[in-house]
Amino acid sequence: MIEATVKQTLKKIGLNKKEKILVALSGGKDSSVVAYLLKKLGYNIEGIHINLHMGNYSEKCLEATKKLCKQLEIKLHIYDIKEKMGSSMCYIRGSIQQEKGLKNCAICGVIKKWILNKAARELHADKIATGHHLDDEIQTFMLNIFKGSPELNANTGAINRNAEKKEFVPRIKPLFYVLEDDIREYSKKMKLPAVYEKCPCAIDSYRIQIRDFISSLSRKEKENIMKNFEQILKKLPRQNNNVKTCKICGEPSRNNICRMCQLMKIRK
Ligand code: SF4
Ligand SMILES: [Zn+2]
């Protein structure tokens, strides 16, 4: 079932087997299933893992990622945040949070996105594949609705809609239509090396509240939310007109200085 859904999603995206796809491997079940299925379906993939150095959790994630890549016989690139940026994610985040009350995931998410896009370009990857699934997408959709900003959903989809800007490596989500429970079950059935516990730093209480609410919904209700989401998506104008180049790092950005460089300025 999950294989058929992913196949259909990849067809919809129009993914080509000659393209080089860099799979963002966190060590968790979702990205492990993405790598496993893309490899099984004959796509040209390599993996990238960002070692965030968040204690024991990061060690387990790195271990699982290495095992998976060995098992799948795919090349693994490791971005070590301590080596490249001088300190662990916890430390980087802490120094930013002393100045600004940003949530853990808000900071970590910006940094990881920046690293992934840059690394993918340097590795000449055509696409980045991530492990986002249906539950994640519904969470984000609902969060943006509750915030009163549905337009923030405009560029999302199984392939992100920023793809026109050449500095952006398009991101694909092969599990966009797959529920988290099905991924967990599949990953266990296939005995994939993966960490099943949640990241200990994911303490955004509002998102957790939404996550718990969504977990309480039935399969049918979740699918209905997604159907509504896709209807609304068709009506939202794309938000890619204003993409500039960051004056500091040269990465694509909505502003003259990208969010990553803004965070790094606070860090100093
Ligand atoms: S859950 Fe949040 S803090 Fe943990 S790795 Fe993901 S973005 Fe970073
Ligand atoms: Zn920048």
Side-chain angles (χ1 to χ4, degrees):
M1 170 68 179
I2 170 168
E3 291 189 19
T5 309
V6 168
K7 246 187 186 171
Q8 221 175 348
T9 306
L10 298 176
K11 197 173 163 200
K12 195 169 163 185
I13 295 171
L15 203 62
N16 179 330
K17 294 205 171 156
K18 287 189 186 137
E19 288 178 293
K20 179 167 160 180
I21 303 158
L22 191 63
V23 185
L25 294 167
S26 66
K29 63 188 186 319
D30 311 325
S31 51
S32 302
V33 167
V34 167
Y36 176 80
L37 284 173
L38 287 175
K39 176 78 182 183
K40 185 174 179 190
L41 296 169
Y43 288 94
N44 172 20
I45 64 167
E46 290 183 8
I48 181 163
H49 175 76
I50 305 175
N51 186 354
L52 299 167
H53 285 280
M54 300 192 301
N56 191 251
Y57 176 74
S58 289
E59 280 169 31
K60 284 197 257 179
C61 289
L62 176 63
E63 208 43 51
T65 307
K66 282 183 180 168
K67 254 192 191 168
L68 179 84
C69 291
K70 200 169 172 204
Q71 196 172 305
L72 298 181
E73 297 177 348
I74 61 170
K75 192 167 179 181
L76 171 64
H77 305 272
I78 297 174
Y79 185 102
D80 189 302
I81 205 162
K82 248 188 191 171
E83 270 173 27
K84 302 270 175 133
M85 296 176 67
S87 32
S88 69
M89 176 57 79
C90 309
Y91 196 82
I92 296 173
R93 240 175 9 214
S95 60
I96 294 170
Q97 282 166 334
Q98 277 177 1
E99 296 289 323
K100 267 197 165 208
L102 291 170
K103 304 235 166 62
N104 282 353
C105 295
I107 299 172
C108 185
V110 166
I111 297 176
K112 286 196 303 185
K113 243 187 199 169
W114 183 91
I115 293 172
L116 276 182
N117 195 65
K118 196 165 184 295
R121 252 201 353 265
E122 286 169 2
L123 293 167
H124 305 290
D126 299 293
K127 302 260 183 333
I128 298 167
T130 67
H132 292 90
H133 48 65
L134 191 54
D135 293 69
D136 288 327
E137 297 303 320
I138 296 173
Q139 266 176 37
T140 307
F141 172 63
M142 300 293 274
L143 268 172
N144 288 334
I145 297 279
F146 290 147
K147 276 195 235 161
S149 313
E151 72 283 357
L152 293 178
N153 292 310
N155 289 346
T156 201
I159 180 160
N160 77 326
R161 307 205 291 171
N162 278 326
E164 283 84 352
K165 178 90 177 163
K166 72 173 178 6
E167 291 87 352
F168 268 126
V169 180
R171 280 192 304 274
I172 60 164
K173 300 170 184 170
L175 302 174
F176 192 81
Y177 297 100
V178 184
L179 288 167
E180 186 174 17
D181 287 345
D182 296 341
I183 298 169
R184 188 180 297 104
E185 199 190 332
Y186 185 81
S187 170
K188 287 191 171 165
K189 190 172 140 203
M190 294 302 155
K191 298 191 171 55
L192 298 182
V195 175
Y196 288 90
E197 68 202 69
K198 296 263 178 224
C199 168
C201 301
I203 47 174
D204 173 350
S205 56
Y206 191 39
R207 187 175 268 272
I208 289 174
Q209 250 176 297
I210 305 268
R211 190 181 74 200
D212 292 346
F213 163 66
I214 290 166
S215 319
S216 71
L217 301 176
S218 69
R219 178 175 289 264
K220 189 81 207 135
E221 284 165 331
K222 288 183 193 175
E223 283 166 1
N224 283 342
I225 295 178
M226 186 45 77
K227 275 187 200 146
N228 283 303
F229 173 26
E230 293 208 304
Q231 288 307 317
I232 294 173
L233 203 60
K234 283 183 203 153
K235 297 190 176 128
L236 290 173
R238 286 183 179 211
Q239 307 244 309
N240 58 354
N241 304 329
N242 280 329
V243 182
K244 301 174 183 168
T245 299
C246 172
K247 290 203 167 129
I248 297 178
C249 68
E251 285 296 298
S253 164
R254 301 215 176 282
N255 302 300
N256 290 331
I257 311 281
C258 74
R259 288 176 71 204
M260 168 73 170
C261 290
Q262 285 175 18
L263 290 180
M264 291 304 118
K265 268 185 161 181
I266 302 171
R267 186 189 167 202
K268 278 169 197 161

